[in-house]
Amino acid sequence: MGVSFSHALAATLRQVLPKIAWAAWGIAVGIACDRSAWYSARFLSAAAASMAGALASGGAASPLLVCTVSFVMGSRLRVVGLTGGIAVGKSSVSERLRQLKIPVIDADQISHSVLRKGKPAHTKVLKAFAKHPGVVTTDGDINRRELRNLVFADKALNRLLKKCTHPAIRAEMLWQIARLSLWEGHPLVVLDSPLLFESGSAVLCKCVMVVHCEQAAQVARLRNRDSCSEEEAAKALSAQMPQEAKMARADVCLGNDGLLSQLHAKVDLACRGLAAESQKHVWR
């Protein structure tokens, strides 16, 4: 039995190691072309594509081509983070970016999609919150409003929810980054995430834009949007990272205390600078 296992292991290594070697070649090409930090989004997304291409292909020339092309294309990518507290107007900024034909990855939409029935994260949340009344519906789904109220009020449960969902959310983010850069060829993409700093996703970004407003306006907008009480609004705000802390880590701060047209003008100005920066690259 030991001999059979050794033979099987040796055969597997003979198949896998050459492919890993071609993937390593792709990574070397990426470093030479882009000279980017290993933790940058363009490096990680292209590395994932290179590894997948090498492991999925049986020949030598094909993985080499996949690795090289993936990195050359991926190195052009510039990921810009967009974040801000609840009800500050971040959605208005995202909408303006889309009007400017800049692709936006919406972390909120991803978080909703990973909690659909049948998804692994959905199952994890059901098991983790099964003992909390009102979270699990009679048909075995998740009462999202009740779950949100629960995690806003309890930091330990908030961490538990993140543990259940964030791995799937991060995986989908990386997939969308790779798709937008490697297949669709966008040199600039925005990652819209309310928990950009808290989840560690800011490490994927070349720079970060933070939307902010006065707290009184934030509370008023939240109460109007969600039809919630002042106490519920206060709990929601207290469960989030303070605006000042986010602004301190931002590269661009977008104040939203005026008219929508004024916010759009700020977004347009920021995007002109980002577009110019995305053209400055060693591979042309």
Side-chain angles (χ1 to χ4, degrees), residues 6-20 58:
S6 298
H7 286 168
L9 179 60
T12 301
L13 289 176
R14 282 196 298 271
Q15 292 178 350
V16 172
L17 287 178
K19 298 177 182 180
I20 293 178

Side-chain angles (χ1 to χ4, degrees), residues 18-20 22-24 26 45-68 70 182-183:
K19 298 177 182 180
I20 293 178
W22 286 118
S45 60
S50 295
M51 290 295 293
L55 294 174
S57 178
S62 180
L64 173 61
L65 180 62
V66 169
C67 294
T68 305
S70 294
L182 304 181
W183 284 273

Side-chain angles (χ1 to χ4, degrees), residues 14-250:
R14 282 196 298 271
Q15 292 178 350
V16 172
L17 287 178
K19 298 177 182 180
I20 293 178
W22 286 118
W25 169 265
I27 293 174
V29 170
I31 294 173
C33 289
D34 192 47
R35 296 199 289 272
S36 59
W38 69 268
Y39 54 80
S40 68
R42 55 191 181 280
F43 185 97
L44 292 175
S45 60
S50 295
M51 290 295 293
L55 294 174
S57 178
S62 180
L64 173 61
L65 180 62
V66 169
C67 294
T68 305
V69 172
S70 294
F71 261 114
V72 170
M73 294 178 67
S75 66
R76 296 179 62 240
L77 180 65
R78 296 295 182 272
V79 179
V80 178
L82 174 64
T83 190
I86 191 170
V88 296
K90 186 168 59 63
S91 297
S92 297
V93 174
S94 288
E95 181 59 32
R96 183 58 178 174
L97 291 168
R98 292 187 178 95
Q99 291 172 1
L100 297 172
K101 309 302 181 184
I102 297 174
V104 178
I105 298 173
D106 191 329
D108 276 341
Q109 288 184 358
I110 293 175
S111 65
H112 277 75
S113 68
V114 301
L115 285 179
R116 289 176 185 156
K117 271 189 174 182
K119 297 281 188 177
H122 182 274
T123 303
K124 290 179 181 178
V125 171
L126 287 181
K127 290 180 179 179
F129 290 86
K131 297 180 180 179
H132 298 275
V135 173
V136 182
T137 64
T138 54
D139 61 348
D141 206 348
I142 298 170
N143 184 332
R144 295 171 188 262
R145 185 181 181 87
E146 185 63 33
L147 178 63
R148 186 185 66 175
N149 291 338
L150 194 64
V151 299
F152 276 161
D154 190 318
K155 291 184 178 180
L157 293 179
N158 197 334
R159 288 193 295 270
L160 177 61
L161 177 62
K162 291 174 183 177
K163 184 178 179 181
C164 293
T165 59
H166 278 197
I169 292 172
R170 281 194 294 268
E172 179 62 23
M173 281 180 182
L174 285 173
W175 161 247
Q176 291 196 26
I177 288 171
R179 175 177 58 81
L180 289 166
S181 62
L182 304 181
W183 284 273
E184 298 184 16
H186 294 282
L188 186 68
V189 63
V190 172
L191 176 57
D192 177 356
S193 173
L195 300 176
L196 189 75
F197 295 121
E198 298 91 326
S199 65
S201 300
V203 74
L204 299 175
C205 304
K206 180 72 174 178
C207 71
V208 174
M209 298 190 295
V210 170
V211 188
H212 63 93
C213 69
E214 294 294 333
Q215 185 167 324
Q218 188 180 13
V219 171
R221 291 171 185 170
L222 180 59
R223 293 189 64 188
N224 182 62
R225 188 191 73 182
D226 293 355
S227 301
C228 62
S229 66
E230 188 169 348
E231 182 182 357
E232 289 174 327
K235 283 184 179 179
L237 294 184
S238 65
Q240 295 193 326
M241 182 177 178
Q243 287 195 92
E244 294 76 12
K246 292 186 177 185
M247 292 167 65
R249 297 176 63 179

